[in-house]
Coordinates of all heavy atoms in Angstrom, one line a residue:
M1 N -25.9 -53.0 -4.8 CA -26.1 -51.7 -4.0 C -24.7 -51.3 -3.4 O -24.4 -50.2 -3.3 CB -27.2 -52.0 -3.0 CG -27.5 -50.7 -2.3 SD -28.4 -49.6 -3.5 CE -29.2 -48.6 -2.4
E2 N -24.0 -52.4 -2.9 CA -22.7 -52.1 -2.3 C -21.7 -51.5 -3.3 O -20.9 -50.7 -2.9 CB -22.2 -53.4 -1.6 CG -20.9 -53.2 -0.8 CD -21.2 -52.3 0.4 OE1 -22.3 -52.4 1.0 OE2 -20.2 -51.6 0.8
R3 N -21.8 -52.0 -4.5 CA -20.9 -51.5 -5.5 C -21.1 -50.0 -5.8 O -20.2 -49.2 -5.9 CB -21.1 -52.3 -6.8 CG -20.0 -52.1 -7.8 CD -20.2 -53.1 -8.9 NE -20.0 -52.4 -10.1 CZ -20.6 -52.7 -11.3 NH1 -21.4 -53.7 -11.4 NH2 -20.4 -52.0 -12.3
V4 N -22.3 -49.6 -5.8 CA -22.7 -48.2 -6.1 C -22.2 -47.3 -4.9 O -21.7 -46.2 -5.0 CB -24.2 -48.0 -6.3 CG1 -24.6 -46.6 -6.3 CG2 -24.7 -48.8 -7.5
R5 N -22.4 -47.9 -3.7 CA -21.9 -47.2 -2.5 C -20.4 -46.9 -2.5 O -20.0 -45.8 -2.1 CB -22.4 -48.0 -1.3 CG -22.1 -47.3 0.0 CD -22.5 -48.1 1.2 NE -23.5 -47.4 1.9 CZ -24.0 -47.9 3.0 NH1 -23.8 -49.2 3.4 NH2 -24.9 -47.2 3.7
R6 N -19.6 -48.0 -2.9 CA -18.2 -47.8 -3.0 C -17.8 -46.8 -4.0 O -16.9 -46.0 -3.8 CB -17.5 -49.1 -3.3 CG -17.2 -49.9 -2.0 CD -16.3 -51.1 -2.4 NE -17.3 -52.3 -2.3 CZ -17.4 -53.2 -3.2 NH1 -16.6 -53.2 -4.2 NH2 -18.2 -54.2 -3.0
K7 N -18.4 -46.8 -5.1 CA -18.2 -45.8 -6.2 C -18.5 -44.4 -5.7 O -17.7 -43.4 -5.9 CB -19.0 -46.1 -7.4 CG -18.4 -47.1 -8.3 CD -19.3 -47.2 -9.6 CE -18.7 -48.2 -10.6 NZ -19.5 -48.2 -11.8
L8 N -19.6 -44.2 -5.0 CA -20.0 -42.9 -4.4 C -19.0 -42.5 -3.4 O -18.6 -41.3 -3.4 CB -21.4 -43.0 -3.8 CG -22.1 -41.7 -3.5 CD1 -22.2 -40.9 -4.8 CD2 -23.4 -42.0 -2.9
A9 N -18.5 -43.4 -2.5 CA -17.5 -43.0 -1.5 C -16.2 -42.6 -2.2 O -15.5 -41.6 -1.7 CB -17.3 -44.2 -0.6
R10 N -15.8 -43.3 -3.2 CA -14.5 -43.0 -3.9 C -14.7 -41.6 -4.6 O -13.8 -40.8 -4.5 CB -14.2 -44.1 -4.9 CG -12.9 -43.9 -5.6 CD -12.5 -45.0 -6.5 NE -13.6 -45.3 -7.4 CZ -13.8 -46.4 -8.0 NH1 -13.0 -47.4 -7.8 NH2 -14.8 -46.6 -8.9
L11 N -15.8 -41.4 -5.2 CA -16.0 -40.1 -5.9 C -16.0 -38.9 -4.8 O -15.4 -37.9 -5.1 CB -17.4 -40.1 -6.6 CG -17.8 -38.8 -7.3 CD1 -16.8 -38.5 -8.4 CD2 -19.2 -38.9 -7.9
M12 N -16.6 -39.2 -3.7 CA -16.6 -38.2 -2.6 C -15.2 -37.9 -2.1 O -14.8 -36.7 -1.9 CB -17.5 -38.6 -1.5 CG -17.8 -37.5 -0.5 SD -19.0 -38.0 0.7 CE -18.1 -39.1 1.7
A13 N -14.4 -38.9 -1.9 CA -13.0 -38.8 -1.5 C -12.2 -38.0 -2.5 O -11.4 -37.1 -2.1 CB -12.4 -40.2 -1.2
V14 N -12.4 -38.3 -3.8 CA -11.6 -37.6 -4.8 C -12.1 -36.1 -4.8 O -11.2 -35.2 -4.9 CB -11.8 -38.2 -6.2 CG1 -11.3 -37.4 -7.3 CG2 -11.1 -39.6 -6.2
S15 N -13.3 -35.8 -4.7 CA -13.8 -34.5 -4.7 C -13.3 -33.7 -3.5 O -12.9 -32.5 -3.6 CB -15.4 -34.4 -4.7 OG -15.9 -35.0 -5.8
I16 N -13.3 -34.3 -2.3 CA -12.8 -33.6 -1.1 C -11.3 -33.4 -1.3 O -10.8 -32.3 -0.9 CB -13.1 -34.5 0.1 CG1 -14.6 -34.4 0.4 CG2 -12.3 -34.0 1.3 CD1 -15.0 -35.3 1.6
G17 N -10.6 -34.3 -1.9 CA -9.1 -34.1 -2.1 C -8.8 -32.9 -3.0 O -8.0 -32.1 -2.8
I18 N -9.6 -32.8 -4.1 CA -9.4 -31.7 -5.0 C -9.8 -30.4 -4.4 O -9.0 -29.4 -4.5 CB -10.3 -32.0 -6.3 CG1 -9.7 -33.1 -7.1 CG2 -10.3 -30.7 -7.1 CD1 -10.6 -33.6 -8.3
M19 N -10.8 -30.4 -3.6 CA -11.2 -29.1 -2.8 C -10.1 -28.7 -1.9 O -9.8 -27.5 -1.7 CB -12.5 -29.3 -2.1 CG -13.7 -29.4 -3.1 SD -14.0 -27.9 -4.0 CE -14.6 -26.9 -2.7
L20 N -9.5 -29.7 -1.1 CA -8.4 -29.4 -0.2 C -7.2 -28.8 -0.9 O -6.6 -27.9 -0.4 CB -8.1 -30.6 0.7 CG -9.1 -31.0 1.7 CD1 -8.8 -32.3 2.4 CD2 -9.3 -29.9 2.7
I21 N -6.8 -29.4 -2.0 CA -5.7 -28.9 -2.8 C -6.0 -27.5 -3.3 O -5.1 -26.6 -3.2 CB -5.4 -29.9 -4.0 CG1 -4.8 -31.2 -3.5 CG2 -4.4 -29.2 -5.0 CD1 -4.7 -32.3 -4.5
G22 N -7.2 -27.2 -3.8 CA -7.5 -25.9 -4.2 C -7.5 -24.9 -3.0 O -7.0 -23.8 -3.2
L23 N -8.0 -25.3 -1.9 CA -8.0 -24.4 -0.7 C -6.5 -24.1 -0.3 O -6.2 -23.0 0.1 CB -8.8 -25.1 0.4 CG -8.8 -24.3 1.7 CD1 -9.6 -23.0 1.5 CD2 -9.5 -25.1 2.8
M24 N -5.7 -25.1 -0.3 CA -4.3 -24.9 0.1 C -3.6 -24.0 -0.9 O -2.8 -23.1 -0.5 CB -3.5 -26.2 0.2 CG -4.0 -27.0 1.4 SD -3.2 -28.7 1.7 CE -2.1 -28.9 0.4
A25 N -3.9 -24.1 -2.2 CA -3.3 -23.2 -3.2 C -3.8 -21.7 -2.9 O -2.9 -20.8 -3.0 CB -3.7 -23.6 -4.6
V26 N -5.0 -21.5 -2.6 CA -5.5 -20.2 -2.4 C -4.9 -19.6 -1.1 O -4.4 -18.4 -1.1 CB -7.1 -20.2 -2.3 CG1 -7.6 -18.8 -1.8 CG2 -7.7 -20.5 -3.6
L27 N -4.8 -20.4 -0.1 CA -4.2 -19.9 1.2 C -2.7 -19.6 1.0 O -2.2 -18.6 1.5 CB -4.4 -20.9 2.3 CG -5.9 -21.0 2.8 CD1 -6.0 -22.1 3.9 CD2 -6.4 -19.7 3.4
G28 N -2.1 -20.4 0.2 CA -0.6 -20.2 -0.1 C -0.4 -18.9 -0.8 O 0.5 -18.1 -0.6
A29 N -1.3 -18.6 -1.8 CA -1.2 -17.4 -2.6 C -1.5 -16.2 -1.7 O -0.8 -15.1 -1.8 CB -2.2 -17.4 -3.7
V30 N -2.4 -16.3 -0.8 CA -2.7 -15.1 0.1 C -1.5 -14.9 1.0 O -1.1 -13.7 1.2 CB -4.0 -15.4 0.9 CG1 -4.2 -14.4 2.1 CG2 -5.2 -15.4 0.0
V31 N -0.9 -15.9 1.6 CA 0.2 -15.7 2.5 C 1.4 -15.2 1.7 O 2.1 -14.3 2.2 CB 0.6 -17.1 3.2 CG1 1.9 -17.0 3.8 CG2 -0.5 -17.5 4.1
Y32 N 1.6 -15.6 0.5 CA 2.7 -15.2 -0.3 C 2.6 -13.7 -0.7 O 3.5 -12.9 -0.5 CB 2.8 -16.0 -1.6 CG 3.8 -15.5 -2.6 CD1 5.1 -15.7 -2.4 CD2 3.4 -14.7 -3.7 CE1 6.1 -15.2 -3.3 CE2 4.3 -14.3 -4.6 CZ 5.7 -14.5 -4.5 OH 6.6 -14.0 -5.3
K33 N 1.3 -13.3 -1.0 CA 1.1 -11.9 -1.4 C 1.2 -11.0 -0.2 O 1.8 -9.9 -0.3 CB -0.3 -11.7 -2.0 CG -0.4 -12.2 -3.4 CD 0.3 -11.3 -4.4 CE 0.0 -11.7 -5.8 NZ 0.6 -10.8 -6.7
S34 N 0.7 -11.4 1.0 CA 0.7 -10.5 2.1 C 2.1 -10.4 2.7 O 2.5 -9.4 3.3 CB -0.3 -11.0 3.2 OG 0.2 -12.2 3.7
A35 N 2.9 -11.4 2.6 CA 4.3 -11.4 3.1 C 5.2 -10.5 2.3 O 6.1 -9.8 2.8 CB 4.9 -12.8 3.2
G36 N 5.0 -10.4 1.0 CA 5.9 -9.7 0.1 C 5.6 -8.2 0.1 O 6.5 -7.4 -0.1
S37 N 4.3 -7.7 0.4 CA 4.0 -6.3 0.3 C 4.4 -5.5 1.5 O 4.5 -4.3 1.4 CB 2.5 -6.2 0.0 OG 1.8 -6.6 1.1
D38 N 4.5 -6.1 2.6 CA 4.8 -5.4 3.9 C 6.3 -5.4 4.2 O 6.6 -5.0 5.3 CB 4.0 -6.0 5.0 CG 2.5 -5.7 4.9 OD1 2.2 -4.8 4.2 OD2 1.7 -6.5 5.5
A39 N 7.1 -5.7 3.3 CA 8.6 -5.7 3.6 C 9.0 -4.3 3.8 O 8.7 -3.4 3.0 CB 9.3 -6.3 2.4
P40 N 9.7 -4.0 4.9 CA 10.2 -2.6 5.1 C 11.2 -2.1 4.1 O 12.0 -2.9 3.6 CB 10.9 -2.7 6.5 CG 11.2 -4.1 6.7 CD 10.2 -4.9 5.9
Q41 N 11.0 -0.9 3.7 CA 11.9 -0.3 2.6 C 13.1 0.3 3.2 O 13.9 0.8 2.4 CB 11.0 0.7 1.8 CG 9.8 0.1 1.1 CD 10.2 -0.9 0.0 OE1 11.2 -0.7 -0.6 NE2 9.4 -1.9 -0.2
G42 N 13.2 0.4 4.4 CA 14.4 1.1 5.1 C 13.9 2.5 5.4 O 12.9 3.0 5.1
V43 N 14.8 3.2 6.2 CA 14.4 4.5 6.7 C 15.1 5.5 5.7 O 16.2 5.5 5.4 CB 15.0 4.7 8.1 CG1 14.8 6.1 8.6 CG2 14.4 3.7 9.0
A44 N 14.2 6.4 5.2 CA 14.7 7.5 4.4 C 15.2 8.7 5.2 O 14.5 9.1 6.2 CB 13.6 7.9 3.4
E45 N 16.3 9.2 4.9 CA 16.8 10.4 5.6 C 17.2 11.4 4.6 O 18.0 11.2 3.7 CB 18.0 10.0 6.4 CG 18.5 11.1 7.3 CD 19.5 10.7 8.3 OE1 19.5 9.5 8.7 OE2 20.4 11.5 8.6
A46 N 16.5 12.6 4.6 CA 16.8 13.7 3.7 C 16.6 15.0 4.4 O 15.9 15.1 5.4 CB 15.8 13.6 2.5
V47 N 17.3 16.0 3.9 CA 17.2 17.3 4.4 C 16.3 18.1 3.5 O 16.5 18.1 2.3 CB 18.6 18.0 4.5 CG1 18.5 19.5 4.9 CG2 19.5 17.3 5.4
I48 N 15.3 18.7 4.0 CA 14.3 19.5 3.2 C 14.5 21.0 3.6 O 14.4 21.4 4.7 CB 12.9 19.1 3.5 CG1 12.7 17.6 3.1 CG2 11.9 20.0 2.9 CD1 11.3 17.0 3.4
D49 N 14.9 21.7 2.5 CA 15.1 23.1 2.7 C 13.8 23.9 2.4 O 13.4 24.1 1.3 CB 16.2 23.6 1.8 CG 17.6 23.0 2.1 OD1 17.9 22.9 3.3 OD2 18.3 22.7 1.2
L50 N 13.2 24.4 3.5 CA 12.0 25.3 3.4 C 12.5 26.7 3.2 O 13.6 27.1 3.6 CB 11.2 25.2 4.6 CG 10.5 23.8 4.9 CD1 9.8 23.8 6.2 CD2 9.6 23.4 3.8
P51 N 11.7 27.5 2.5 CA 12.1 28.9 2.3 C 12.3 29.6 3.6 O 11.6 29.3 4.6 CB 11.0 29.5 1.5 CG 10.3 28.4 0.9 CD 10.5 27.2 1.8
A52 N 13.2 30.6 3.6 CA 13.5 31.3 4.9 C 12.2 32.1 5.3 O 11.6 32.7 4.5 CB 14.6 32.3 4.6
G53 N 11.9 31.9 6.6 CA 10.7 32.6 7.1 C 9.4 31.9 6.9 O 8.4 32.4 7.3
F54 N 9.4 30.7 6.2 CA 8.2 30.0 5.9 C 7.6 29.4 7.2 O 8.3 28.8 8.0 CB 8.5 28.9 5.0 CG 7.2 28.1 4.5 CD1 6.3 28.6 3.6 CD2 7.0 26.8 5.0 CE1 5.2 27.9 3.2 CE2 5.9 26.1 4.7 CZ 5.0 26.7 3.8
S55 N 6.4 29.7 7.5 CA 5.7 29.3 8.8 C 4.8 28.1 8.4 O 3.8 28.3 7.7 CB 4.9 30.4 9.4 OG 4.2 30.0 10.5
V56 N 5.1 26.9 8.9 CA 4.3 25.7 8.6 C 3.1 25.7 9.5 O 3.2 25.8 10.7 CB 5.2 24.4 8.8 CG1 4.4 23.2 8.6 CG2 6.4 24.4 8.0
S57 N 1.9 25.5 8.9 CA 0.7 25.4 9.7 C 0.1 24.0 9.6 O -0.7 23.6 10.4 CB -0.3 26.5 9.2 OG -0.6 26.3 7.9
D58 N 0.5 23.2 8.5 CA -0.1 21.9 8.4 C 0.9 21.1 7.5 O 1.6 21.6 6.7 CB -1.5 21.9 7.8 CG -2.2 20.6 8.0 OD1 -1.8 19.8 8.8 OD2 -3.3 20.5 7.5
T59 N 0.9 19.7 7.7 CA 1.7 18.8 6.9 C 0.8 17.6 6.5 O -0.2 17.3 7.2 CB 2.9 18.3 7.6 OG1 2.5 17.6 8.8 CG2 3.8 19.5 8.0
A60 N 1.2 17.0 5.4 CA 0.6 15.7 5.0 C 1.7 14.8 4.4 O 2.6 15.3 3.8 CB -0.5 15.9 4.0
V61 N 1.6 13.5 4.6 CA 2.7 12.6 4.2 C 2.0 11.5 3.4 O 1.0 10.9 3.9 CB 3.5 12.0 5.4 CG1 4.5 11.0 4.9 CG2 4.1 13.1 6.2
S62 N 2.5 11.1 2.2 CA 2.1 10.0 1.5 C 3.3 9.0 1.4 O 4.3 9.3 2.0 CB 1.5 10.3 0.1 OG 2.6 10.7 -0.7
D63 N 3.2 8.0 0.5 CA 4.3 7.1 0.4 C 5.6 7.7 -0.2 O 6.7 7.5 0.3 CB 3.9 5.9 -0.6 CG 2.9 5.0 0.1 OD1 2.8 5.0 1.3 OD2 2.2 4.3 -0.7
T64 N 5.4 8.7 -1.1 CA 6.6 9.2 -1.8 C 6.7 10.7 -1.7 O 7.6 11.3 -2.2 CB 6.5 8.9 -3.3 OG1 5.3 9.4 -3.9 CG2 6.6 7.4 -3.5
R65 N 5.7 11.4 -1.0 CA 5.7 12.8 -1.0 C 5.4 13.4 0.4 O 4.6 12.8 1.2 CB 4.7 13.4 -2.0 CG 5.1 13.1 -3.4 CD 4.1 13.6 -4.4 NE 4.6 13.3 -5.7 CZ 3.9 13.6 -6.8 NH1 2.8 14.3 -6.7 NH2 4.4 13.3 -8.0
I66 N 5.9 14.6 0.7 CA 5.6 15.3 1.9 C 5.1 16.7 1.5 O 5.7 17.3 0.7 CB 6.9 15.4 2.8 CG1 7.4 14.1 3.1 CG2 6.6 16.2 4.1 CD1 8.8 14.1 3.8
L67 N 4.0 17.1 2.1 CA 3.4 18.4 1.7 C 3.4 19.3 3.0 O 3.1 18.8 4.1 CB 1.9 18.2 1.3 CG 1.2 19.4 1.0 CD1 0.4 19.2 -0.3 CD2 0.2 19.8 2.1
F68 N 3.9 20.5 2.8 CA 3.9 21.5 3.8 C 2.9 22.6 3.4 O 3.0 23.1 2.3 CB 5.3 22.1 4.0 CG 6.3 21.1 4.5 CD1 7.1 20.5 3.7 CD2 6.4 20.9 5.9 CE1 8.0 19.6 4.1 CE2 7.3 20.0 6.4 CZ 8.1 19.3 5.5
F69 N 2.0 23.0 4.3 CA 1.1 24.1 4.0 C 1.4 25.2 5.0 O 1.5 24.9 6.2 CB -0.4 23.6 4.2 CG -1.4 24.7 4.0 CD1 -1.7 25.0 2.7 CD2 -2.0 25.4 5.0 CE1 -2.7 26.0 2.4 CE2 -2.9 26.3 4.8 CZ -3.3 26.6 3.5
G70 N 1.6 26.4 4.6 CA 1.9 27.5 5.5 C 2.0 28.8 4.8 O 1.5 29.0 3.7
T71 N 2.6 29.8 5.5 CA 2.6 31.2 4.9 C 4.1 31.6 4.8 O 4.9 31.3 5.6 CB 1.9 32.1 5.9 OG1 2.4 32.0 7.2 CG2 0.4 31.8 5.9
M72 N 4.3 32.5 3.8 CA 5.6 33.1 3.6 C 5.7 34.3 4.5 O 4.7 34.8 5.1 CB 5.7 33.5 2.1 CG 5.7 32.3 1.2 SD 7.1 31.2 1.4 CE 8.4 32.1 0.6
P73 N 6.9 34.9 4.7 CA 7.0 36.1 5.5 C 6.1 37.3 5.1 O 5.7 38.1 5.9 CB 8.5 36.5 5.5 CG 9.1 35.2 5.0 CD 8.2 34.4 4.2
D74 N 5.8 37.3 3.8 CA 5.0 38.4 3.2 C 3.5 38.2 3.4 O 2.7 39.0 2.9 CB 5.4 38.7 1.8 CG 5.1 37.5 0.9 OD1 4.7 36.5 1.4 OD2 5.3 37.7 -0.4
G75 N 3.1 37.0 4.0 CA 1.7 36.7 4.2 C 1.1 35.8 3.1 O -0.1 35.5 3.2
E76 N 1.8 35.5 2.1 CA 1.3 34.7 1.0 C 1.2 33.2 1.5 O 2.2 32.7 2.0 CB 2.3 34.8 -0.2 CG 1.8 34.2 -1.4 CD 2.8 34.5 -2.6 OE1 3.9 34.1 -2.5 OE2 2.3 35.1 -3.5
T77 N 0.1 32.6 1.2 CA -0.1 31.2 1.6 C 0.4 30.3 0.5 O 0.1 30.5 -0.7 CB -1.6 30.9 1.8 OG1 -2.1 31.9 2.8 CG2 -1.9 29.5 2.3
R78 N 1.2 29.3 0.9 CA 1.8 28.4 -0.1 C 1.6 26.9 0.3 O 1.5 26.6 1.5 CB 3.3 28.7 -0.2 CG 3.6 30.0 -0.8 CD 4.4 29.8 -2.0 NE 4.6 31.0 -2.8 CZ 4.6 31.0 -4.1 NH1 4.4 29.9 -4.8 NH2 4.8 32.1 -4.7
L79 N 1.6 26.1 -0.7 CA 1.7 24.6 -0.6 C 3.1 24.2 -1.2 O 3.3 24.4 -2.4 CB 0.6 23.9 -1.4 CG -0.7 23.7 -0.8 CD1 -1.7 23.3 -1.8 CD2 -0.7 22.8 0.3
L80 N 3.9 23.5 -0.4 CA 5.2 23.1 -0.8 C 5.2 21.5 -0.8 O 4.9 20.9 0.2 CB 6.3 23.6 0.0 CG 6.3 25.1 0.2 CD1 7.4 25.5 1.2 CD2 6.6 25.8 -1.1
V81 N 5.5 20.9 -1.9 CA 5.6 19.4 -2.0 C 7.0 19.0 -2.3 O 7.7 19.5 -3.2 CB 4.6 18.9 -3.1 CG1 4.6 17.4 -3.2 CG2 3.2 19.5 -2.9
F82 N 7.5 18.0 -1.5 CA 8.8 17.5 -1.6 C 8.8 16.0 -1.7 O 7.9 15.3 -1.2 CB 9.6 17.9 -0.3 CG 9.9 19.3 -0.2 CD1 9.0 20.1 0.5 CD2 11.0 19.9 -0.7 CE1 9.2 21.5 0.6 CE2 11.3 21.3 -0.6 CZ 10.4 22.0 0.1
D83 N 9.8 15.4 -2.4 CA 10.0 14.0 -2.5 C 10.5 13.5 -1.1 O 11.4 14.0 -0.5 CB 11.0 13.7 -3.6 CG 11.2 12.2 -3.7 OD1 10.3 11.5 -4.2 OD2 12.3 11.7 -3.4
A84 N 9.8 12.4 -0.7 CA 10.1 11.9 0.7 C 11.5 11.2 0.7 O 12.1 11.2 1.8 CB 9.0 10.9 1.1
Q85 N 12.0 10.6 -0.3 CA 13.2 9.9 -0.3 C 14.4 10.9 -0.4 O 15.4 10.8 0.3 CB 13.3 8.9 -1.5 CG 12.3 7.8 -1.4 CD 12.7 6.8 -0.3 OE1 13.9 6.6 0.0 NE2 11.7 6.3 0.4
S86 N 14.4 11.8 -1.4 CA 15.5 12.6 -1.7 C 15.4 14.0 -1.0 O 16.4 14.7 -0.9 CB 15.7 12.8 -3.2 OG 14.6 13.5 -3.7
G87 N 14.2 14.5 -0.7 CA 14.0 15.8 -0.2 C 14.0 16.9 -1.3 O 13.9 18.1 -1.0
A88 N 13.9 16.5 -2.5 CA 13.9 17.4 -3.7 C 12.5 18.0 -3.8 O 11.5 17.4 -3.6 CB 14.3 16.7 -5.0
P89 N 12.5 19.3 -4.1 CA 11.2 20.0 -4.3 C 10.5 19.5 -5.5 O 11.1 19.3 -6.6 CB 11.5 21.4 -4.4 CG 12.9 21.5 -4.7 CD 13.6 20.3 -4.2
I90 N 9.1 19.2 -5.4 CA 8.4 18.8 -6.5 C 7.4 19.9 -7.0 O 7.3 20.1 -8.2 CB 7.5 17.5 -6.1 CG1 8.5 16.4 -5.8 CG2 6.5 17.1 -7.2 CD1 7.8 15.1 -5.3
A91 N 6.8 20.6 -6.1 CA 5.9 21.6 -6.4 C 5.9 22.7 -5.4 O 6.2 22.5 -4.2 CB 4.5 21.1 -6.6
N92 N 5.6 24.0 -5.9 CA 5.5 25.1 -5.0 C 4.3 25.9 -5.5 O 4.4 26.6 -6.5 CB 6.8 26.0 -5.1 CG 6.8 27.2 -4.1 OD1 5.7 27.5 -3.6 ND2 7.9 27.8 -4.0
H93 N 3.2 25.8 -4.8 CA 1.9 26.4 -5.3 C 1.5 27.6 -4.4 O 1.6 27.4 -3.2 CB 0.8 25.4 -5.3 CG 1.0 24.2 -6.3 ND1 0.9 24.4 -7.6 CD2 1.3 22.9 -6.0 CE1 1.2 23.2 -8.2 NE2 1.4 22.3 -7.2
R94 N 1.1 28.6 -5.0 CA 0.5 29.8 -4.2 C -1.0 29.5 -4.1 O -1.7 29.1 -5.0 CB 0.7 31.0 -5.0 CG 0.3 32.3 -4.2 CD 0.6 33.5 -5.0 NE -0.2 33.4 -6.2 CZ -0.4 34.4 -7.1 NH1 0.2 35.5 -6.9 NH2 -1.1 34.3 -8.1
V95 N -1.5 29.7 -2.9 CA -3.0 29.5 -2.6 C -3.6 30.9 -2.4 O -3.1 31.7 -1.7 CB -3.2 28.7 -1.3 CG1 -4.6 28.5 -1.0 CG2 -2.4 27.3 -1.4
Q96 N -4.7 31.1 -3.2 CA -5.4 32.4 -3.1 C -6.7 32.2 -2.3 O -7.3 31.2 -2.3 CB -5.7 32.9 -4.4 CG -4.5 33.3 -5.2 CD -4.8 33.9 -6.5 OE1 -5.9 33.8 -7.0 NE2 -3.8 34.6 -7.1

């Protein structure tokens, strides 16, 4: 009976060891992934040239784009989309 008990204890110790190694691997992967994705990219500085007389009524910002919603001097409603890094225009849409 004692022999069976020692085998069972050894099997349990090996199983716990394997589980701990697996848990450490998973936690290491989570820390590695979370540390790499939040690295700051630096501050982007760009000049965005809006059309003369354009009146901005709303804005929206994503990772790579800036959107301006507003009206032109003639009353036409427009959506202007610019690249956030370079300030280059991407789209100029008329809204009806």
Side-chain angles (χ1 to χ4, degrees):
M1 189 69 161
E2 187 64 32
R3 193 171 135 210
V4 173
R5 184 182 240 178
R6 269 189 258 132
K7 280 186 176 181
L8 193 60
R10 187 175 50 203
L11 179 63
M12 191 172 74
V14 169
S15 296
I16 289 173
I18 290 172
M19 290 296 288
L20 287 175
I21 290 171
L23 180 65
M24 289 179 3
V26 168
L27 290 176
V30 168
V31 169
Y32 174 76
K33 287 287 189 177
S34 67
S37 65
D38 291 337
Q41 300 293 327
V43 176
E45 187 173 324
V47 175
I48 296 177
D49 293 322
L50 295 174
F54 183 76
S55 175
V56 177
S57 58
D58 199 8
T59 60
V61 180
S62 72
D63 289 339
T64 59
R65 296 181 177 178
I66 302 172
L67 178 135
F68 294 96
F69 182 78
T71 56
M72 297 296 284
D74 61 358
E76 188 175 62
T77 305
R78 291 240 173 216
L79 275 170
L80 305 175
V81 182
F82 293 89
D83 181 65
Q85 294 289 326
S86 66
I90 295 174
N92 183 349
H93 297 286
R94 186 180 62 170
V95 180
Q96 291 184 346

